[in-house]
Amino acid sequence: MLTADEYPNCETFMEKATTWVLKSDAVRRALKRSLWATDTTDLRPQMNGVCFDKTDEALNIVTSDGRALVRNEVAYEGKKGSFVMPKKAAKMLADLLDGIDDVDVVFDERHAAFSNGTMTLVFRNIEGHYPNYMSVFPVAKPYNLQANTMEWLKAARNVSNFSSANTRMVKLSISTDQQMTLTGECIDLSIVATDKIGISYAGDVDMSIGVKADLLIEALSHIAEPRVYMDFTDPTRALTITPEEPMYEGENVTMLLMPMMLND
């Protein structure tokens, strides 16, 4: 067992370290909404963590595994800067921030720390630059629909049990009749299931989009708001899901899902 003298000292930060003061609840909610979308492979180490990126507009807290992306926007006027936090540290921080008002953040190129006077969490940043997450968002999103979050989530769970074990794909058939039909099918077992929900859709064409059931379920289950928007361009481009009315002032979240190729 190490003595107090033998225990490693906390890291010291560079003189040019950046400092923020953030609302703990906003950071905790963002982490809880995001951690499911971190990558689990070793090919892209930066995507194994959580990106904190302060731009001119807001503080973005982002995770992605290449198939799904979660972007939390938190209103904040502080200094620009960014770092990538390891997933393990992010999980610890989400628990530590419960019941805390403000949290001080200091970071440089190598390390970062979150503290509030009674606790301090220090960790080494994941080295390298986080991919340009804004580049995957479609510039033009001509189609939009609104749906009840829980109805959509329930329907997705129902049909996902019948989807192929290999692809886990669910087809979203969007109709000008103001309905979305969700279909899960496994050709090998000759089974299929459908479920319908009512939507508000202003488009003038019917459209079908394939998505991975598990990603759709994760995205919807991490949105607390009762209704959501889905913005999309065509079946080959990413779709985004956002709350219709954000529950917390100064906070918003966008769930982006990459489509899957339909057989029909």
Side-chain angles (χ1 to χ4, degrees):
M1 181 180 294
L2 295 176
T3 66
D5 293 335
E6 295 172 325
Y7 200 81
N9 294 322
C10 288
E11 298 288 346
T12 57
F13 291 87
M14 299 170 58
E15 293 183 2
K16 296 182 179 179
T18 302
T19 302
W20 298 334
V21 180
L22 305 176
K23 295 293 184 183
S24 297
D25 284 345
V27 176
R28 179 175 56 83
R29 284 189 289 265
L31 292 175
K32 294 287 188 181
R33 286 191 293 255
S34 307
L35 288 171
W36 66 270
T38 54
D39 200 359
T40 57
T41 69
D42 296 327
L43 298 177
R44 296 165 293 186
Q46 295 80 21
M47 296 177 72
N48 294 154
V50 181
C51 177
F52 284 73
D53 182 26
K54 174 62 179 71
T55 65
D56 291 329
E57 292 77 24
L59 171 63
N60 296 304
I61 302 176
V62 181
T63 60
S64 178
D65 63 358
R67 303 168 302 164
L69 183 149
V70 182
R71 177 194 177 201
N72 297 274
E73 298 173 82
V74 179
Y76 182 61
E77 299 295 332
K79 185 178 179 181
K80 293 172 65 175
S82 66
F83 62 91
V84 183
M85 183 179 196
K87 183 176 182 178
K88 184 176 181 179
K91 286 182 176 180
M92 295 175 60
L93 180 64
D95 294 331
L96 291 170
L97 292 180
D98 191 19
I100 295 176
D101 292 330
D102 292 340
V103 61
D104 296 320
V105 185
V106 57
F107 63 94
D108 57 24
E109 294 179 358
R110 292 174 57 86
H111 303 92
F114 286 74
S115 62
N116 76 324
T118 59
M119 73 87 185
T120 300
L121 176 65
V122 182
F123 54 89
R124 183 186 294 271
N125 301 333
I126 297 178
E127 295 182 1
H129 295 287
Y130 202 81
N132 181 10
Y133 55 88
M134 290 303 299
S135 65
V136 301
F137 286 89
V139 176
K141 296 179 286 187
Y143 300 107
N144 172 282
L145 63 83
Q146 297 90 44
N148 180 283
T149 309
M150 291 308 299
E151 288 181 1
W152 193 2
L153 176 59
K154 181 179 178 181
R157 283 173 171 161
N158 288 342
V159 302
S160 68
N161 295 322
F162 296 83
S163 62
S164 168
N166 293 327
T167 64
R168 294 288 295 159
M169 183 174 69
V170 166
K171 182 169 72 172
L172 311 178
S173 300
I174 301 156
S175 169
T176 53
D177 293 335
Q178 308 305 305
Q179 284 190 330
M180 179 194 293
T181 302
L182 291 84
T183 304
E185 181 178 13
C186 180
I187 297 176
D188 294 338
L189 299 178
S190 299
I191 56 175
V192 62
T194 62
D195 203 344
K196 294 184 179 181
I197 62 170
I199 59 174
S200 178
Y201 174 51
D204 55 1
V205 295
D206 295 346
M207 195 174 299
S208 294
I209 303 173
V211 295
K212 194 172 186 66
D214 305 296
L215 300 182
L216 177 62
I217 290 170
E218 286 283 7
L220 292 173
S221 64
H222 284 87
I223 295 178
E225 289 79 357
R227 291 188 63 81
V228 291
Y229 287 117
M230 180 177 120
D231 296 295
F232 54 101
T233 304
D234 60 53
T236 65
R237 301 187 186 184
L239 62 89
T240 58
I241 302 173
T242 56
E244 189 174 281
E245 295 183 7
M247 186 176 294
Y248 300 99
E249 184 178 358
E251 298 178 39
N252 198 13
V253 61
T254 301
M255 307 283 188
L256 181 144
L257 304 181
M258 299 303 295
M260 300 180 70
M261 184 175 295
L262 293 169
N263 296 324
D264 52 4

